[in-house]
Amino acid sequence: MYSHVSAALLHGLIVWDGGSAVHVTTQYSNSTASAGKDVRTHKLPPTDADMASLWTPDGREILTTSPERTVVDCARILPLDKAAVIGDHALRKGASLEAMRQLLKDSPVVRGGRHALAVLEVLDARSESPGETRTRLLLQSFGLRGFEPQVVIPTSEGLFRADFADPNALVIIEFDGIAKYTEYKATADVLLAERRRENALQELGWAVFRINWKQLDRPGELRQRLYAVLSRHAGTQKRPCPAQPVQGSNGYVGRGRS
């Protein structure tokens, strides 16, 4: 039965840097020699609720773990940010967070349980891309709790949906992924519309802070730049609350929150 990252891919979930190994779960232990070098075997007797059947275009059945079990399995073995990318997308596609928590609670497997629970606690279906998920987790690790995902703001150019916004501070954070500018319209048209919306937001007193993919891998530098912007902008004079430790694949850990 395909499981973990392999099951996530089969279910059409977004996987960010999940590795090339094929993950399978069996009721018995396989040796590396019998399974193959590119196969990672996990031992855990599945229940009916853990399993799902997928079908290929030519009518072949593929047995995988259910979406909820897949998220829990990934949460046991992946860094928090990589597991959260999978979990956020699963929630957007209709997976049940409550079912994930119950699976984790009922599981006979202890290893990785605390880490998996930490992953489930930070999942949020409102993040619509790996970049938004990683941005959200970094904001939490920086102690910035006022930013909410997908905030809709009326402007003279129509409704603007911000990736993250703090209505009290009047600060917007946008993750600039390539797809935002290339998927739906000509890039020049998208950039012009984006500039018009940003001007309209600035007229209302909003400041816009943009983050790109490379900057997510330099969290210390990003934190300094963001704090500098917040310290200069009206409405952000209150100090950010202490950070909660959130460790991801880049090794960044925020300061502990009391």
Side-chain angles (χ1 to χ4, degrees):
M1 177 173 64
Y2 291 102
S3 62
H4 298 74
V5 175
S6 298
L9 290 169
L10 289 169
H11 282 293
L13 301 177
I14 295 174
V15 174
W16 165 58
D17 194 18
S20 59
V22 177
H23 293 261
V24 296
T25 292
T26 68
Q27 299 187 44
Y28 51 86
S29 298
N30 270 340
S31 67
T32 303
S34 64
K37 293 182 179 180
D38 61 342
V39 176
R40 183 171 176 184
T41 303
H42 307 268
K43 180 184 178 182
L44 180 63
T47 66
D48 290 341
D50 293 336
M51 297 186 291
S53 290
L54 302 176
W55 299 89
T56 64
D58 59 358
R60 292 185 295 114
E61 183 181 18
I62 300 176
L63 191 62
T64 75
T65 49
S66 67
E68 289 82 3
R69 167 69 184 274
T70 298
V71 173
V72 171
D73 286 346
C74 290
R76 291 184 186 275
I77 67 170
L78 295 178
L80 185 143
D81 49 359
K82 294 182 180 182
V85 166
I86 295 171
D88 283 355
H89 194 204
L91 292 182
R92 291 201 304 277
K93 294 188 69 172
S96 167
L97 181 58
E98 189 57 40
M100 295 176 197
R101 289 175 173 151
Q102 194 63 45
L103 280 170
L104 185 59
K105 180 180 178 181
D106 295 341
S107 174
V109 178
V110 175
R111 186 175 182 179
R114 292 180 65 182
H115 180 67
L117 181 60
V119 171
L120 298 187
E121 290 300 315
V122 300
L123 296 186
D124 192 327
R126 292 174 294 176
S127 290
E128 298 179 341
S129 70
E132 289 184 25
T133 295
R134 294 184 66 196
T135 299
R136 186 184 81 244
L137 295 178
L138 280 179
L139 291 175
Q140 292 175 2
S141 76
F142 296 162
L144 299 173
R145 305 287 167 179
F147 287 94
E148 288 292 323
Q150 308 303 329
V151 176
V152 177
I153 304 168
T155 76
S156 59
E157 291 291 328
L159 296 178
F160 177 86
R161 188 174 65 160
D163 291 340
F164 302 92
D166 184 336
N168 293 321
L170 291 179
V171 174
I172 291 168
I173 295 177
E174 286 287 288
F175 173 75
D176 279 347
I178 295 177
K180 178 180 290 188
Y181 301 107
T182 60
E183 277 194 352
Y184 306 109
K185 296 180 180 179
T187 300
D189 294 338
V190 174
L191 288 173
L192 181 59
E194 190 80 4
R195 178 56 59 88
R196 288 172 175 168
R197 286 193 295 267
E198 190 163 321
N199 287 340
L201 288 166
Q202 290 172 350
E203 290 174 1
L204 295 173
W206 288 91
V208 180
F209 184 88
R210 296 188 176 276
I211 297 174
N212 61 42
W213 193 263
K214 290 184 178 180
Q215 291 166 345
L216 293 176
D217 291 326
R218 301 193 294 269
E221 177 184 320
L222 178 61
R223 181 178 182 273
Q224 285 186 324
R225 290 179 53 237
L226 183 53
Y227 270 49
V229 169
L230 294 175
S231 68
R232 294 193 302 266
H233 192 67
T236 60
Q237 301 306 312
K238 292 193 300 182
R239 295 178 60 189
C241 61
Q244 177 181 2
V246 176
Q247 183 167 9
S249 56
N250 60 14
Y252 184 78
V253 182
R255 298 179 63 184
R257 184 183 185 190
S258 57

